[in-house]
């Protein structure tokens, strides 16, 4: 569904999440009630895949050397979940 929305919208600079969910709602009446959540989750996974390593290196703090709070802030900024 999401790939179909991206290819059919054919926007040169990319499609917004709102435009894709609207397209899915119009074209797929049998879509699950949580399709908006699925689109959001797909975007999050794509961003984490694309930029996850960059932020891990950027905020690579050592808990023992740099202190707990600096390590925790860096871990949260790089996308970790508690």
């Amino acid at each position: 569904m999401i790939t179909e929305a991206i290819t059919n919208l054919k926007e040169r600079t990319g499609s917004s999440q709102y435009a894709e969910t609207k397209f899915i709602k119009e074209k797929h009446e049998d879509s699950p009630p949580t399709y908006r959540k699925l689109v959001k989750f797909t975007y999050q996974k794509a961003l984490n895949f694309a930029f996850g390593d960059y932020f891990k290196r950027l905020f690579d703090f050592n808990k023992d050397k740099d202190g707990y709070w600096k390590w925790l802030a860096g871990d949260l900024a790089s996308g970790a979940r508690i």
Side-chain angles (χ1 to χ4, degrees), residues 36-63:
R36 287 187 176 133
K37 243 184 214 182
L38 293 172
V39 172
K40 180 182 174 187
F41 179 73
T42 304
Y43 270 99
Q44 287 176 343
K45 292 300 271 186
L47 286 174
N48 286 340
F49 179 74
F51 298 108
D53 292 338
Y54 171 75
F55 286 112
K56 287 283 184 190
R57 283 191 310 263
L58 186 66
F59 297 108
D60 187 24
F61 298 121
N62 189 339
K63 191 187 305 187

PDB file of all heavy atoms in Angstrom, residues 36-63:
ATOM      1  N   ARG A  36      -2.918   4.378   9.448  1.00  0.00           N
ATOM      2  CA  ARG A  36      -2.132   5.583   9.719  1.00  0.00           C
ATOM      3  C   ARG A  36      -0.934   5.257  10.601  1.00  0.00           C
ATOM      4  O   ARG A  36       0.150   5.781  10.415  1.00  0.00           O
ATOM      5  CB  ARG A  36      -2.992   6.654  10.375  1.00  0.00           C
ATOM      6  CG  ARG A  36      -3.945   7.288   9.413  1.00  0.00           C
ATOM      7  CD  ARG A  36      -4.663   8.456  10.056  1.00  0.00           C
ATOM      8  NE  ARG A  36      -5.495   9.106   9.072  1.00  0.00           N
ATOM      9  CZ  ARG A  36      -6.741   9.451   9.272  1.00  0.00           C
ATOM     10  NH1 ARG A  36      -7.313   9.222  10.436  1.00  0.00           N
ATOM     11  NH2 ARG A  36      -7.433  10.040   8.319  1.00  0.00           N
ATOM     12  N   LYS A  37      -1.157   4.391  11.570  1.00  0.00           N
ATOM     13  CA  LYS A  37      -0.062   3.955  12.430  1.00  0.00           C
ATOM     14  C   LYS A  37       0.975   3.178  11.627  1.00  0.00           C
ATOM     15  O   LYS A  37       2.175   3.299  11.866  1.00  0.00           O
ATOM     16  CB  LYS A  37      -0.596   3.063  13.552  1.00  0.00           C
ATOM     17  CG  LYS A  37      -0.401   3.601  14.907  1.00  0.00           C
ATOM     18  CD  LYS A  37      -0.871   2.604  15.936  1.00  0.00           C
ATOM     19  CE  LYS A  37      -1.434   3.370  17.099  1.00  0.00           C
ATOM     20  NZ  LYS A  37      -1.876   2.522  18.166  1.00  0.00           N
ATOM     21  N   LEU A  38       0.512   2.372  10.681  1.00  0.00           N
ATOM     22  CA  LEU A  38       1.435   1.608   9.850  1.00  0.00           C
ATOM     23  C   LEU A  38       2.305   2.518   8.988  1.00  0.00           C
ATOM     24  O   LEU A  38       3.499   2.274   8.823  1.00  0.00           O
ATOM     25  CB  LEU A  38       0.656   0.635   8.955  1.00  0.00           C
ATOM     26  CG  LEU A  38      -0.077  -0.490   9.656  1.00  0.00           C
ATOM     27  CD1 LEU A  38      -0.956  -1.244   8.669  1.00  0.00           C
ATOM     28  CD2 LEU A  38       0.902  -1.431  10.318  1.00  0.00           C
ATOM     29  N   VAL A  39       1.718   3.575   8.452  1.00  0.00           N
ATOM     30  CA  VAL A  39       2.484   4.526   7.647  1.00  0.00           C
ATOM     31  C   VAL A  39       3.516   5.225   8.525  1.00  0.00           C
ATOM     32  O   VAL A  39       4.685   5.352   8.150  1.00  0.00           O
ATOM     33  CB  VAL A  39       1.555   5.546   6.957  1.00  0.00           C
ATOM     34  CG1 VAL A  39       2.340   6.645   6.288  1.00  0.00           C
ATOM     35  CG2 VAL A  39       0.664   4.848   5.952  1.00  0.00           C
ATOM     36  N   LYS A  40       3.109   5.647   9.706  1.00  0.00           N
ATOM     37  CA  LYS A  40       4.031   6.313  10.629  1.00  0.00           C
ATOM     38  C   LYS A  40       5.171   5.369  11.024  1.00  0.00           C
ATOM     39  O   LYS A  40       6.338   5.766  11.047  1.00  0.00           O
ATOM     40  CB  LYS A  40       3.274   6.765  11.875  1.00  0.00           C
ATOM     41  CG  LYS A  40       4.129   7.458  12.899  1.00  0.00           C
ATOM     42  CD  LYS A  40       3.324   7.838  14.116  1.00  0.00           C
ATOM     43  CE  LYS A  40       4.220   8.392  15.193  1.00  0.00           C
ATOM     44  NZ  LYS A  40       3.528   8.616  16.438  1.00  0.00           N
ATOM     45  N   PHE A  41       4.840   4.123  11.324  1.00  0.00           N
ATOM     46  CA  PHE A  41       5.846   3.141  11.711  1.00  0.00           C
ATOM     47  C   PHE A  41       6.838   2.896  10.572  1.00  0.00           C
ATOM     48  O   PHE A  41       8.043   2.779  10.794  1.00  0.00           O
ATOM     49  CB  PHE A  41       5.160   1.836  12.117  1.00  0.00           C
ATOM     50  CG  PHE A  41       6.099   0.753  12.508  1.00  0.00           C
ATOM     51  CD1 PHE A  41       6.778   0.812  13.717  1.00  0.00           C
ATOM     52  CD2 PHE A  41       6.319  -0.323  11.680  1.00  0.00           C
ATOM     53  CE1 PHE A  41       7.652  -0.186  14.080  1.00  0.00           C
ATOM     54  CE2 PHE A  41       7.184  -1.330  12.037  1.00  0.00           C
ATOM     55  CZ  PHE A  41       7.857  -1.262  13.244  1.00  0.00           C
ATOM     56  N   THR A  42       6.335   2.848   9.342  1.00  0.00           N
ATOM     57  CA  THR A  42       7.209   2.634   8.190  1.00  0.00           C
ATOM     58  C   THR A  42       8.177   3.795   8.016  1.00  0.00           C
ATOM     59  O   THR A  42       9.359   3.596   7.737  1.00  0.00           O
ATOM     60  CB  THR A  42       6.366   2.433   6.918  1.00  0.00           C
ATOM     61  OG1 THR A  42       5.467   1.353   7.145  1.00  0.00           O
ATOM     62  CG2 THR A  42       7.227   2.133   5.725  1.00  0.00           C
ATOM     63  N   TYR A  43       7.688   5.021   8.198  1.00  0.00           N
ATOM     64  CA  TYR A  43       8.565   6.192   8.127  1.00  0.00           C
ATOM     65  C   TYR A  43       9.642   6.135   9.203  1.00  0.00           C
ATOM     66  O   TYR A  43      10.809   6.408   8.948  1.00  0.00           O
ATOM     67  CB  TYR A  43       7.763   7.484   8.299  1.00  0.00           C
ATOM     68  CG  TYR A  43       7.256   8.057   7.009  1.00  0.00           C
ATOM     69  CD1 TYR A  43       5.960   7.843   6.592  1.00  0.00           C
ATOM     70  CD2 TYR A  43       8.075   8.823   6.209  1.00  0.00           C
ATOM     71  CE1 TYR A  43       5.490   8.376   5.414  1.00  0.00           C
ATOM     72  CE2 TYR A  43       7.625   9.362   5.024  1.00  0.00           C
ATOM     73  CZ  TYR A  43       6.320   9.139   4.635  1.00  0.00           C
ATOM     74  OH  TYR A  43       5.874   9.669   3.469  1.00  0.00           O
ATOM     75  N   GLN A  44       9.259   5.788  10.418  1.00  0.00           N
ATOM     76  CA  GLN A  44      10.226   5.714  11.517  1.00  0.00           C
ATOM     77  C   GLN A  44      11.293   4.667  11.236  1.00  0.00           C
ATOM     78  O   GLN A  44      12.483   4.902  11.468  1.00  0.00           O
ATOM     79  CB  GLN A  44       9.528   5.396  12.828  1.00  0.00           C
ATOM     80  CG  GLN A  44       8.743   6.541  13.400  1.00  0.00           C
ATOM     81  CD  GLN A  44       7.987   6.146  14.651  1.00  0.00           C
ATOM     82  OE1 GLN A  44       7.796   4.975  14.936  1.00  0.00           O
ATOM     83  NE2 GLN A  44       7.548   7.140  15.392  1.00  0.00           N
ATOM     84  N   LYS A  45      10.882   3.505  10.759  1.00  0.00           N
ATOM     85  CA  LYS A  45      11.839   2.448  10.461  1.00  0.00           C
ATOM     86  C   LYS A  45      12.795   2.873   9.344  1.00  0.00           C
ATOM     87  O   LYS A  45      13.984   2.587   9.395  1.00  0.00           O
ATOM     88  CB  LYS A  45      11.119   1.162  10.075  1.00  0.00           C
ATOM     89  CG  LYS A  45      10.354   0.517  11.184  1.00  0.00           C
ATOM     90  CD  LYS A  45      11.239   0.147  12.336  1.00  0.00           C
ATOM     91  CE  LYS A  45      11.795  -1.226  12.154  1.00  0.00           C
ATOM     92  NZ  LYS A  45      12.550  -1.717  13.287  1.00  0.00           N
ATOM     93  N   ALA A  46      12.282   3.563   8.341  1.00  0.00           N
ATOM     94  CA  ALA A  46      13.134   4.007   7.243  1.00  0.00           C
ATOM     95  C   ALA A  46      14.162   5.033   7.726  1.00  0.00           C
ATOM     96  O   ALA A  46      15.338   4.979   7.352  1.00  0.00           O
ATOM     97  CB  ALA A  46      12.287   4.605   6.131  1.00  0.00           C
ATOM     98  N   LEU A  47      13.743   5.967   8.563  1.00  0.00           N
ATOM     99  CA  LEU A  47      14.677   6.959   9.095  1.00  0.00           C
ATOM    100  C   LEU A  47      15.711   6.326  10.004  1.00  0.00           C
ATOM    101  O   LEU A  47      16.892   6.677   9.955  1.00  0.00           O
ATOM    102  CB  LEU A  47      13.913   8.059   9.841  1.00  0.00           C
ATOM    103  CG  LEU A  47      13.167   9.039   8.964  1.00  0.00           C
ATOM    104  CD1 LEU A  47      12.330   9.984   9.822  1.00  0.00           C
ATOM    105  CD2 LEU A  47      14.132   9.833   8.108  1.00  0.00           C
ATOM    106  N   ASN A  48      15.286   5.402  10.844  1.00  0.00           N
ATOM    107  CA  ASN A  48      16.238   4.725  11.715  1.00  0.00           C
ATOM    108  C   ASN A  48      17.245   3.918  10.902  1.00  0.00           C
ATOM    109  O   ASN A  48      18.425   3.870  11.238  1.00  0.00           O
ATOM    110  CB  ASN A  48      15.518   3.821  12.709  1.00  0.00           C
ATOM    111  CG  ASN A  48      14.840   4.595  13.803  1.00  0.00           C
ATOM    112  OD1 ASN A  48      15.185   5.743  14.061  1.00  0.00           O
ATOM    113  ND2 ASN A  48      13.877   3.988  14.444  1.00  0.00           N
ATOM    114  N   PHE A  49      16.791   3.292   9.840  1.00  0.00           N
ATOM    115  CA  PHE A  49      17.689   2.525   8.990  1.00  0.00           C
ATOM    116  C   PHE A  49      18.679   3.444   8.282  1.00  0.00           C
ATOM    117  O   PHE A  49      19.862   3.142   8.171  1.00  0.00           O
ATOM    118  CB  PHE A  49      16.891   1.722   7.966  1.00  0.00           C
ATOM    119  CG  PHE A  49      17.748   0.919   7.045  1.00  0.00           C
ATOM    120  CD1 PHE A  49      18.376  -0.232   7.487  1.00  0.00           C
ATOM    121  CD2 PHE A  49      17.934   1.317   5.728  1.00  0.00           C
ATOM    122  CE1 PHE A  49      19.175  -0.975   6.636  1.00  0.00           C
ATOM    123  CE2 PHE A  49      18.726   0.581   4.873  1.00  0.00           C
ATOM    124  CZ  PHE A  49      19.352  -0.564   5.320  1.00  0.00           C
ATOM    125  N   ALA A  50      18.198   4.590   7.812  1.00  0.00           N
ATOM    126  CA  ALA A  50      19.049   5.493   7.036  1.00  0.00           C
ATOM    127  C   ALA A  50      20.044   6.259   7.907  1.00  0.00           C
ATOM    128  O   ALA A  50      21.199   6.436   7.526  1.00  0.00           O
ATOM    129  CB  ALA A  50      18.173   6.480   6.268  1.00  0.00           C
ATOM    130  N   PHE A  51      19.618   6.712   9.073  1.00  0.00           N
ATOM    131  CA  PHE A  51      20.463   7.598   9.875  1.00  0.00           C
ATOM    132  C   PHE A  51      20.860   7.039  11.233  1.00  0.00           C
ATOM    133  O   PHE A  51      21.507   7.727  12.009  1.00  0.00           O
ATOM    134  CB  PHE A  51      19.747   8.938  10.093  1.00  0.00           C
ATOM    135  CG  PHE A  51      19.467   9.665   8.823  1.00  0.00           C
ATOM    136  CD1 PHE A  51      18.180   9.764   8.339  1.00  0.00           C
ATOM    137  CD2 PHE A  51      20.496  10.236   8.095  1.00  0.00           C
ATOM    138  CE1 PHE A  51      17.915  10.433   7.158  1.00  0.00           C
ATOM    139  CE2 PHE A  51      20.244  10.896   6.913  1.00  0.00           C
ATOM    140  CZ  PHE A  51      18.945  11.002   6.445  1.00  0.00           C
ATOM    141  N   GLY A  52      20.473   5.821  11.545  1.00  0.00           N
ATOM    142  CA  GLY A  52      20.731   5.259  12.862  1.00  0.00           C
ATOM    143  C   GLY A  52      22.206   5.188  13.214  1.00  0.00           C
ATOM    144  O   GLY A  52      22.632   5.594  14.300  1.00  0.00           O
ATOM    145  N   ASP A  53      23.032   4.693  12.296  1.00  0.00           N
ATOM    146  CA  ASP A  53      24.461   4.565  12.566  1.00  0.00           C
ATOM    147  C   ASP A  53      25.131   5.924  12.727  1.00  0.00           C
ATOM    148  O   ASP A  53      26.040   6.082  13.540  1.00  0.00           O
ATOM    149  CB  ASP A  53      25.149   3.785  11.453  1.00  0.00           C
ATOM    150  CG  ASP A  53      24.725   2.331  11.422  1.00  0.00           C
ATOM    151  OD1 ASP A  53      24.248   1.844  12.475  1.00  0.00           O
ATOM    152  OD2 ASP A  53      24.849   1.702  10.365  1.00  0.00           O
ATOM    153  N   TYR A  54      24.698   6.904  11.965  1.00  0.00           N
ATOM    154  CA  TYR A  54      25.271   8.248  12.059  1.00  0.00           C
ATOM    155  C   TYR A  54      25.061   8.820  13.461  1.00  0.00           C
ATOM    156  O   TYR A  54      25.996   9.344  14.074  1.00  0.00           O
ATOM    157  CB  TYR A  54      24.631   9.162  11.016  1.00  0.00           C
ATOM    158  CG  TYR A  54      25.009  10.617  11.176  1.00  0.00           C
ATOM    159  CD1 TYR A  54      26.267  11.067  10.812  1.00  0.00           C
ATOM    160  CD2 TYR A  54      24.118  11.526  11.720  1.00  0.00           C
ATOM    161  CE1 TYR A  54      26.627  12.391  10.973  1.00  0.00           C
ATOM    162  CE2 TYR A  54      24.462  12.855  11.884  1.00  0.00           C
ATOM    163  CZ  TYR A  54      25.710  13.280  11.508  1.00  0.00           C
ATOM    164  OH  TYR A  54      26.060  14.593  11.682  1.00  0.00           O
ATOM    165  N   PHE A  55      23.840   8.712  13.976  1.00  0.00           N
ATOM    166  CA  PHE A  55      23.563   9.261  15.291  1.00  0.00           C
ATOM    167  C   PHE A  55      24.214   8.439  16.397  1.00  0.00           C
ATOM    168  O   PHE A  55      24.602   8.979  17.427  1.00  0.00           O
ATOM    169  CB  PHE A  55      22.062   9.384  15.523  1.00  0.00           C
ATOM    170  CG  PHE A  55      21.448  10.513  14.748  1.00  0.00           C
ATOM    171  CD1 PHE A  55      20.574  10.261  13.717  1.00  0.00           C
ATOM    172  CD2 PHE A  55      21.782  11.822  15.031  1.00  0.00           C
ATOM    173  CE1 PHE A  55      20.019  11.300  12.992  1.00  0.00           C
ATOM    174  CE2 PHE A  55      21.242  12.868  14.313  1.00  0.00           C
ATOM    175  CZ  PHE A  55      20.364  12.604  13.278  1.00  0.00           C
ATOM    176  N   LYS A  56      24.350   7.131  16.196  1.00  0.00           N
ATOM    177  CA  LYS A  56      25.057   6.312  17.179  1.00  0.00           C
ATOM    178  C   LYS A  56      26.508   6.763  17.305  1.00  0.00           C
ATOM    179  O   LYS A  56      27.051   6.855  18.402  1.00  0.00           O
ATOM    180  CB  LYS A  56      25.014   4.829  16.793  1.00  0.00           C
ATOM    181  CG  LYS A  56      23.674   4.194  16.988  1.00  0.00           C
ATOM    182  CD  LYS A  56      23.430   3.907  18.433  1.00  0.00           C
ATOM    183  CE  LYS A  56      22.111   3.180  18.572  1.00  0.00           C
ATOM    184  NZ  LYS A  56      21.686   3.074  19.934  1.00  0.00           N
ATOM    185  N   ARG A  57      27.155   7.056  16.184  1.00  0.00           N
ATOM    186  CA  ARG A  57      28.538   7.537  16.224  1.00  0.00           C
ATOM    187  C   ARG A  57      28.621   8.947  16.782  1.00  0.00           C
ATOM    188  O   ARG A  57      29.559   9.292  17.492  1.00  0.00           O
ATOM    189  CB  ARG A  57      29.146   7.502  14.832  1.00  0.00           C
ATOM    190  CG  ARG A  57      29.558   6.129  14.370  1.00  0.00           C
ATOM    191  CD  ARG A  57      30.397   6.221  13.107  1.00  0.00           C
ATOM    192  NE  ARG A  57      29.759   7.055  12.085  1.00  0.00           N
ATOM    193  CZ  ARG A  57      29.029   6.601  11.088  1.00  0.00           C
ATOM    194  NH1 ARG A  57      28.840   5.308  10.954  1.00  0.00           N
ATOM    195  NH2 ARG A  57      28.491   7.421  10.208  1.00  0.00           N
ATOM    196  N   LEU A  58      27.649   9.786  16.436  1.00  0.00           N
ATOM    197  CA  LEU A  58      27.655  11.174  16.884  1.00  0.00           C
ATOM    198  C   LEU A  58      27.514  11.281  18.404  1.00  0.00           C
ATOM    199  O   LEU A  58      28.168  12.093  19.043  1.00  0.00           O
ATOM    200  CB  LEU A  58      26.524  11.943  16.196  1.00  0.00           C
ATOM    201  CG  LEU A  58      26.440  13.444  16.431  1.00  0.00           C
ATOM    202  CD1 LEU A  58      27.651  14.136  15.830  1.00  0.00           C
ATOM    203  CD2 LEU A  58      25.172  13.984  15.805  1.00  0.00           C
ATOM    204  N   PHE A  59      26.667  10.446  18.981  1.00  0.00           N
ATOM    205  CA  PHE A  59      26.413  10.477  20.420  1.00  0.00           C
ATOM    206  C   PHE A  59      27.010   9.260  21.119  1.00  0.00           C
ATOM    207  O   PHE A  59      26.425   8.707  22.033  1.00  0.00           O
ATOM    208  CB  PHE A  59      24.906  10.523  20.691  1.00  0.00           C
ATOM    209  CG  PHE A  59      24.253  11.768  20.167  1.00  0.00           C
ATOM    210  CD1 PHE A  59      23.431  11.707  19.060  1.00  0.00           C
ATOM    211  CD2 PHE A  59      24.465  12.977  20.768  1.00  0.00           C
ATOM    212  CE1 PHE A  59      22.802  12.839  18.578  1.00  0.00           C
ATOM    213  CE2 PHE A  59      23.861  14.124  20.285  1.00  0.00           C
ATOM    214  CZ  PHE A  59      23.035  14.060  19.183  1.00  0.00           C
ATOM    215  N   ASP A  60      28.195   8.859  20.708  1.00  0.00           N
ATOM    216  CA  ASP A  60      28.838   7.674  21.276  1.00  0.00           C
ATOM    217  C   ASP A  60      29.562   8.058  22.571  1.00  0.00           C
ATOM    218  O   ASP A  60      30.749   8.377  22.567  1.00  0.00           O
ATOM    219  CB  ASP A  60      29.811   7.076  20.262  1.00  0.00           C
ATOM    220  CG  ASP A  60      30.372   5.759  20.735  1.00  0.00           C
ATOM    221  OD1 ASP A  60      29.716   5.109  21.566  1.00  0.00           O
ATOM    222  OD2 ASP A  60      31.462   5.393  20.264  1.00  0.00           O
ATOM    223  N   PHE A  61      28.849   8.040  23.671  1.00  0.00           N
ATOM    224  CA  PHE A  61      29.425   8.359  24.970  1.00  0.00           C
ATOM    225  C   PHE A  61      29.576   7.084  25.785  1.00  0.00           C
ATOM    226  O   PHE A  61      28.762   6.171  25.687  1.00  0.00           O
ATOM    227  CB  PHE A  61      28.540   9.344  25.741  1.00  0.00           C
ATOM    228  CG  PHE A  61      28.387  10.675  25.056  1.00  0.00           C
ATOM    229  CD1 PHE A  61      27.134  11.138  24.710  1.00  0.00           C
ATOM    230  CD2 PHE A  61      29.486  11.453  24.753  1.00  0.00           C
ATOM    231  CE1 PHE A  61      26.981  12.363  24.079  1.00  0.00           C
ATOM    232  CE2 PHE A  61      29.345  12.678  24.125  1.00  0.00           C
ATOM    233  CZ  PHE A  61      28.083  13.127  23.792  1.00  0.00           C
ATOM    234  N   ASN A  62      30.621   7.053  26.592  1.00  0.00           N
ATOM    235  CA  ASN A  62      30.864   5.924  27.465  1.00  0.00           C
ATOM    236  C   ASN A  62      30.273   6.222  28.833  1.00  0.00           C
ATOM    237  O   ASN A  62      30.509   7.293  29.393  1.00  0.00           O
ATOM    238  CB  ASN A  62      32.370   5.685  27.576  1.00  0.00           C
ATOM    239  CG  ASN A  62      32.697   4.410  28.295  1.00  0.00           C
ATOM    240  OD1 ASN A  62      31.881   3.883  29.045  1.00  0.00           O
ATOM    241  ND2 ASN A  62      33.893   3.905  28.062  1.00  0.00           N
ATOM    242  N   LYS A  63      29.517   5.291  29.371  1.00  0.00           N
ATOM    243  CA  LYS A  63      28.842   5.506  30.647  1.00  0.00           C
ATOM    244  C   LYS A  63      29.851   5.739  31.771  1.00  0.00           C
ATOM    245  O   LYS A  63      29.674   6.620  32.613  1.00  0.00           O
ATOM    246  CB  LYS A  63      27.960   4.317  30.991  1.00  0.00           C
ATOM    247  CG  LYS A  63      27.037   4.571  32.158  1.00  0.00           C
ATOM    248  CD  LYS A  63      26.273   3.348  32.623  1.00  0.00           C
ATOM    249  CE  LYS A  63      25.485   2.661  31.587  1.00  0.00           C
ATOM    250  NZ  LYS A  63      24.640   1.574  32.094  1.00  0.00           N
TER     251      LYS A  63
END
